[in-house]
């Protein structure tokens, strides 16, 4: 299996090299030259645990890794650090099936890929004979940063630098990052939003002068964002596993279709579901759910991507994104691998802030359904789910559930639907408390960490270990910088 750039001006490489590089030399994203076939029959999935599914799916994409290397990475990644024995429980509530992806150490779905990426990367470095230290450079809208920091902390031969929007993450998300231990960890708040952070990181990656200066220091940049194919591919596995759980529960017979609903901002999580579908997993409709920053909803409905719009800071901050990086991979696939077309679209986005895709790409979008939730609708979804079904979901998952409800009502489609449940409700405690009426009972909430405890007392749901007593940990990363200081921060950190 080879990997090529979506923009066509970089040589094809094996997966190990693509994982190390993160971003292609021409600023494009690495994609497989072909999507592998599902490496097991759907009838087999009923009897496979998460680790078995992950080994097969990841191994199919990364076939330059030996079976032993893949097995070792999977076993080290998906172990006792996950609170759920099955790693990814599937819970039936409110007429849908929630694929709970948040039982890892940082209580967010990013753990599913960022627990294994360090093992894939360090193995790739050995395979490629790479001598330089690898610096993981990442922009985060809240969850990727902590999960990447957790995964790479004190990993030999690596440094990790994370940039997050100072005013664009929850109090819990921020404390998770700025209290992170590890001699190789560096965290900076920026005075801007996630798109500013992401744009700054991409600029650093594409600056050849920076690359040469870091090379002199024995450092090479890589990424833990889902622009790295080593981060994206492991996400495919949980959709395959989730399908198997529905078969095991008797919800569907093997071979019958399901729908998948995903709350998404950067498009990586739903792209993983799209790849699972292309592998042969029976997925009928991919439901793309947006919050008030509904750039993806508008794009799927019209074929016009327009990032020149108001930016909103919402209660689902991991989706507060106007430039969805992973959409580039979908465009490449729907354009039949036409790299020139993708390059032109990305240049139009960079220069004009918008683009319109070809009729061929618009036709390919038919397999997607999109919708969005306003803030009050998100709160209402959390409230109704808890009151009617006793199930507590976070704000991002609530966005997906609301969009799923709209789809089901409008289409009358009764196909069983997996909803990607992307974070613990405790990561957004103030919003959840507001939704279920805790604020009113308590006469107004105090700080978010007090609310965590009150929320647990009311619901009987334990606070995840990684969030418990988080406010008592010493703050280790205190710097907030301007956007134009990001490059200097990288070089100073190294």
């Amino acid at each position: 299996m080879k990997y090529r750039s979506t923009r066509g001006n970089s040589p094809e490489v094996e997966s190990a090299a693509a994982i190390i590089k993160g971003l292609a030399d021409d600023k494009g994203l690495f994609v497989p030259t072909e999507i592998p076939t599902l490496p097991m029959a759907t009838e087999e999935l009923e009897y496979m645990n998460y680790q078995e599914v992950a080994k097969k799916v990841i191994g199919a994409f990364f076939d330059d890794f030996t079976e032993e290397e893949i097995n070792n990475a999977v076993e080290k990644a998906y172990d006792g650090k996950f609170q759920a024995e099955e790693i990814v429980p599937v819970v039936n509530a409110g007429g849908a099936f929630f694929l709970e992806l948040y039982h890892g150490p940082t209580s967010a779905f990013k753990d599913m890929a960022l627990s294994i990426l360090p093992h894939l990367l360090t193995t790739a470095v050995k395979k490629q004979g790479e001598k330089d230290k690898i610096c993981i450079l990442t922009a985060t809208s809240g969850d990727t940063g902590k999960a990447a920091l957790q995964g790479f902390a004190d990993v030999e031969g690596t440094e990790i630098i994370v940039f997050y929007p100072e005013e664009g993450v929850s109090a819990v998300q921020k404390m998770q990052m700025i209290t992170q231990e590890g001699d190789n960890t560096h965290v900076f708040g920026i005075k801007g939003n996630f798109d500013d952070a992401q744009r700054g990181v991409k600029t650093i990656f594409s600056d050849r002068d920076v690359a040469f200066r870091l090379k002199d220091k024995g450092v090479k940049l890589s990424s833990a964002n889902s622009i790295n194919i080593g981060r994206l591919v492991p996400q495919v596995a949980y959709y395959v596993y989730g399908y198997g759980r529905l078969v095991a529960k008797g919800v569907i017979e093997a071979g019958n279709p399901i729908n998948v609903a995903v709350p998404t901002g950067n498009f990586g999580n739903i792209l993983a579901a799209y790849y699972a579908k292309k592998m042969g997993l029976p997925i009928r409709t991919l439901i793309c759910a947006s919050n008030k920053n509904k750039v993806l909803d508008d794009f799927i409905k019209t074929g016009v991507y327009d990032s020149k719009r108001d930016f909103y800071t919402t209660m689902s901050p991991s989706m507060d994104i106007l430039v969805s990086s992973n959409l580039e991979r979908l465009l490449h696939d729907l354009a039949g691998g036409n790299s020139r077309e993708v390059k032109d679209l990305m240049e139009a986005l960079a220069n004009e802030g918008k683009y319109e895709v070809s009729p061929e790409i618009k036709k390919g979008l038919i397999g997607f359904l999109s919708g969005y939730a306003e803030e009050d609708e998100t709160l209402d979804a959390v409230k109704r789910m808890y009151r009617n079904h006793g199930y507590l979901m976070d704000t991002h998952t609530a966005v997906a559930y609301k969009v799923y409800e709209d789809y089901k009502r409008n289409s009358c489609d009764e196909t069983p639907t997996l909803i990607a449940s992307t974070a613990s409700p405790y990561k957004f405690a103030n919003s959840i408390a507001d939704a279920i009426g805790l604020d009113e009972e308590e006469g107004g909430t105090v700080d978010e960490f007090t609310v965590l405890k009150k929320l647990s007392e009311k619901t009987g749901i334990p606070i995840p270990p990684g969030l418990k007593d988080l406010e008592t940990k010493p703050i280790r990363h205190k710097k907030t910088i301007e956007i134009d200081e990001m490059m200097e921060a990288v070089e100073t950190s190294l």
Side-chain angles (χ1 to χ4, degrees), residues 7 340 342-354:
R7 304 190 190 183
R340 180 71 240 183
V342 173
K343 185 172 183 291
D344 290 344
L345 291 173
M346 294 303 102
E347 287 178 353
L349 182 63
N351 297 330
E352 302 161 27
K354 65 183 298 186

Side-chain angles (χ1 to χ4, degrees), residues 261-332:
V262 187
T264 190
N266 213 25
F267 207 75
N269 207 4
I270 196 166
L271 180 69
Y274 174 78
Y275 277 6
K277 181 177 181 177
K278 290 211 68 175
M279 292 182 83
L281 195 69
I283 296 175
R284 174 173 288 158
T285 302
L286 291 163
I287 302 170
C288 179
S290 300
N291 65 13
K292 194 173 182 178
N293 294 294
K294 58 188 186 75
V295 63
L296 286 168
D297 177 40
D298 289 343
F299 169 70
I300 289 171
K301 287 185 167 93
T302 67
V304 176
Y305 195 98
D306 186 358
S307 66
K308 297 176 70 175
R309 59 177 68 204
D310 291 337
F311 176 87
Y312 300 102
T313 299
T314 73
M315 65 182 68
S316 48
S318 295
M319 301 162 68
D320 292 347
I321 296 170
L322 295 182
V323 180
S324 304
S325 291
N326 268 290
L327 188 60
E328 183 172 339
R329 285 186 166 114
L330 178 68
L331 298 177
H332 184 271

Side-chain angles (χ1 to χ4, degrees), residues 165-179:
E166 173 71 16
E167 301 297 331
V169 299
S170 74
V172 169
Q173 288 175 314
K174 182 176 179 178
M175 281 298 289
Q176 282 187 299
M177 289 186 280
I178 64 177
T179 60

Side-chain angles (χ1 to χ4, degrees), residues 26 45 59 80 85 147 169 187 215 265 294 312 316-317 366 378 441:
D26 61 0
L45 288 171
E85 184 178 351
V169 299
V187 181
K215 181 71 175 175
K294 58 188 186 75
Y312 300 102
S316 48
I366 291 174
T378 302
E441 295 175 17

Side-chain angles (χ1 to χ4, degrees), residues 181-228:
E181 297 178 349
D183 292 338
N184 66 336
T185 63
H186 314 273
V187 181
F188 298 91
I190 68 156
K191 297 176 182 178
N193 59 40
F194 170 75
D195 288 318
D196 295 320
Q198 182 168 251
R199 192 178 304 110
V201 165
K202 285 186 174 181
T203 299
I204 295 167
F205 267 115
S206 61
D207 191 312
R208 293 187 180 276
D209 289 338
V210 171
F212 285 130
R213 290 199 297 271
L214 293 180
K215 181 71 175 175
D216 288 340
K217 296 180 179 182
V219 176
K220 179 176 287 188
L221 294 177
S222 187
S223 174
N225 285 87
S226 53
I227 59 173
N228 191 317

